[in-house]
Amino acid sequence: MRVAAPLKAIGSRFALPLLIIASAVLIVLNKADSGLFERIRTPFVDAVEPVLAFFARPAATLDAVTERVESAVALYAENQRLKEENQRLLHWQHAARTLLAENQRLKALLNFAPDPPASFVSARVIAHSGGSFVRSVLINAGRVDGIARGQAALAGEGLAGRIAEVGERTARVLLLTDLNSRVPVLLDTSRERAVLAGDNSERPRLLYLPARAEVKIGERVVSSGHGGVFPPNLPVGVVAAIEDGIVRVEPYVELSRLDYLRIVDYGLSGVLPQPVPPKTRERRSKSAEPEPPVEEMP
Amino acid sequence: MKPAALPRPDPFPASALPFLTLVLLVLVSLMPLRIPGYAAVTPQFALMGIFHWTVYRPALLPPILLFAVGSAFDLVTGAPLGLSALVFLLAKAAVLRQRQFFVRRQFAFVWFGFTLTAAGAIALVWVIGSLFNGVLLDPRPVLLQWVLTVAFYPAVSWCLQRAQRLFLP
């Protein structure tokens, strides 16, 4: 006991500086090998999932209440809007039916290989990562539910992100806005290819757009399917701003209001390279880039 | 048998209060509130707890606990492991040095101290984030996060003060 007391005193004296150094070393190790930490991270997140889910519930309830109040206030206007929208959609339904029939006929004529059928899992968002570092959310579905790395996460109108880490019962979705998110996309009307790159801001930017490309504000951006991670034609967003040659895209999905995500398996995952390739540097010049690079993992 | 005669069992040792409140604050900052733009500017709730307890009860929040809570926080958010631990520990070290200026002072003075501590901590996250990713991260959400963190401090500090009076001798 007598030896223990001074030892304890020394320990408490140097604990703070030692732990500060240890944390700094840990950060540097992260940079060197993120794979090691992923193996610690996913089981840990699995373990605390019940707590996170419990704490996410009041947030969801609060959201439901505010939504109810909002919708009650705007009931009449909303009803009018929906009636008009319904008229428009009925028209589109008719058009879609005609096109579907025509499309099937033409595909039959061409012996077209159909896309594999997609299956999906719905999952609730149980935690978000705040701050300046990452743009990701945790969902309460994992390997046991059939979630795998690279699968697309959709929310209502469009693409929200992709699965970056999978645990047994949880998974991390890297949002489109994250600094490490790269999605090969296609501009809907001009048919130009580009890569949608997040930079932790609300609106990700388009990279590798050909210099001659004529991009218009309001143009639809869809996934191109290059790289074999996402299927083509998933709605991603619209071109929102062009400043100093930087094209910014407003995602269709309100990424800060995610509650449920649909994780879709198109049978395409597994194409992501497992060994982490060196990071591709952004090119400053607006050089014509005919081939968008294959999507990479952070 | 009269149950009233038995000594009341403690639900938890009172000295665990700072740790429990810190865990609670971390969980609050992980809550996915659906407020537009909230995720990027979520206040640093944990920092408020660390500041409060380091000023009023420094012994009850030892460095090893800060390291553990910070690491757990990073594991959940997906930030590089060690980042929050580093920020928490440096904040504690900074506050410990200035502690004598804060105890038994008016709240406004303590709040001002927190303003500086939060500025340092949030700026540190931003600098490490920029270095880690090799790009300059947008400083605007960081500034807003700082403002929100400072704005939320009085409420959180008040709650902690109440808990302190209730449970701690």
Side-chain angles (χ1 to χ4, degrees):
Chain A
M1 280 320 270
R2 244 179 226 162
V3 195
L7 264 182
K8 213 175 165 189
I10 292 170
S12 62
R13 179 146 209 207
F14 292 107
L16 191 54
L18 280 178
L19 286 169
I20 288 174
I21 295 168
S23 325
V25 170
L26 269 180
I27 299 175
V28 176
L29 283 178
N30 266 279
K31 187 76 189 157
D33 177 20
S34 57
L36 169 72
F37 292 98
E38 196 182 318
R39 252 166 288 157
I40 307 170
R41 187 148 49 216
T42 48
F44 180 79
V45 175
D46 272 349
V48 295
E49 187 265 339
V51 183
L52 293 174
F54 178 78
F55 270 81
R57 197 144 299 166
T61 314
L62 199 74
D63 195 50
V65 170
T66 49
E67 212 157 81
R68 187 164 285 193
V69 172
E70 268 175 38
S71 63
V73 168
L75 210 58
Y76 181 75
E78 184 74 359
N79 196 19
Q80 285 298 317
R81 194 184 66 76
L82 286 175
K83 270 182 185 160
E84 276 165 32
E85 192 175 274
N86 198 28
Q87 283 297 318
R88 243 191 357 263
L89 289 179
L90 280 174
H91 171 73
W92 277 110
Q93 189 190 42
H94 176 72
R97 281 208 178 119
T98 324
L99 286 171
L100 187 72
E102 186 182 59
N103 202 327
Q104 270 166 356
R105 264 201 327 275
L106 293 173
K107 272 181 182 166
L109 281 175
L110 287 169
N111 273 334
F112 185 82
D115 289 334
S119 62
F120 69 88
V121 177
S122 290
R124 200 152 59 86
V125 172
I126 53 167
H128 74 157
S129 17
S132 50
F133 235 101
V134 247
R135 298 285 175 266
S136 69
V137 292
L138 284 177
I139 54 168
N140 65 346
R143 200 169 289 121
V144 289
D145 308 290
I147 307 280
R149 257 166 87 124
Q151 287 174 351
L154 308 181
E157 319 86 90
L159 187 67
R162 74 176 144 79
I163 301 293
E165 281 175 13
V166 193
E168 285 303 312
R169 290 188 313 274
T170 56
R172 185 182 304 283
V173 177
L174 194 75
L175 301 177
L176 291 177
T177 44
D178 189 274
L179 201 58
N180 286 305
S181 165
R182 299 284 183 278
V183 179
V185 291
L186 195 67
L187 293 169
D188 206 21
T189 42
S190 59
R191 309 308 286 173
E192 296 289 359
R193 286 197 246 161
V195 169
L196 186 73
D199 56 1
N200 281 10
S201 73
E202 303 244 306
R203 292 168 165 181
R205 49 192 285 196
L206 289 179
L207 298 182
Y208 311 116
L209 204 64
R212 56 174 168 71
E214 282 177 28
V215 184
K216 285 184 209 75
I217 286 180
E219 195 166 352
R220 246 167 67 92
V221 178
V222 296
S223 67
S224 73
H226 293 102
V229 174
F230 294 144
N233 293 320
L234 289 179
V236 174
V238 288
V239 174
I242 306 168
E243 293 156 359
D244 308 325
I246 296 174
V247 182
R248 295 210 170 261
V249 174
E250 176 88 45
Y252 281 122
V253 179
E254 244 187 296
L255 293 172
S256 53
R257 295 192 72 156
L258 297 175
D259 44 5
Y260 283 92
L261 283 173
R262 220 155 19 109
I263 311 304
V264 192
D265 182 9
Y266 292 96
L268 291 167
S269 48
V271 207
L272 287 170
Q274 272 299 326
V276 182
K279 224 175 163 178
T280 43
R281 290 263 161 242
E282 271 172 39
R283 246 148 286 184
R284 290 299 319 151
S285 62
K286 288 183 280 173
S287 64
E289 183 76 17
E291 279 291 313
V294 173
E295 199 183 68
E296 55 160 343
M297 290 299 290
Chain B
M1 187 176 131
K2 275 188 276 182
L6 290 171
R8 213 157 47 126
D10 259 351
F12 60 89
S15 58
L17 182 72
F19 171 68
L20 292 176
T21 52
L22 184 61
V23 171
L24 194 71
L25 287 168
V26 163
L27 287 169
V28 166
S29 57
L30 287 170
M31 269 165 63
L33 297 181
R34 277 116 209 168
I35 302 165
Y38 174 73
V41 298
T42 310
Q44 281 267 11
F45 287 108
L47 200 64
M48 304 178 200
I50 292 163
F51 185 87
H52 179 96
W53 292 118
T54 308
V55 168
Y56 296 108
R57 294 294 163 96
L60 295 186
L61 216 50
I64 189 75
L65 279 186
L66 291 185
F67 183 79
V69 173
S71 303
F73 189 39
D74 286 340
L75 287 175
V76 175
T77 60
L81 186 64
L83 174 79
S84 297
L86 181 71
V87 172
F88 291 177
L89 290 166
L90 282 176
K92 185 182 170 74
V95 179
L96 270 183
R97 275 169 167 262
Q98 310 297 329
R99 205 181 145 249
Q100 66 268 31
F101 297 117
F102 296 131
V103 277
R104 296 179 207 295
R105 290 299 283 270
Q106 280 185 335
F107 180 73
F109 194 79
V110 180
W111 194 13
F112 177 71
F114 179 72
T115 306
L116 298 182
T117 312
I122 290 170
L124 183 69
V125 176
W126 179 70
V127 168
I128 296 176
S130 298
L131 284 175
F132 196 85
N133 290 303
V135 287
L136 209 61
L137 294 173
D138 188 1
R140 283 168 301 180
V142 181
L143 264 176
L144 191 55
Q145 186 190 28
W146 175 61
V147 171
L148 285 177
T149 305
V150 169
F152 269 92
Y153 180 72
V156 171
S157 181
W158 185 81
C159 294
L160 295 177
Q161 201 98 51
R162 294 298 298 223
Q164 192 178 339
R165 292 220 184 105
L166 224 66
F167 295 109
L168 287 179

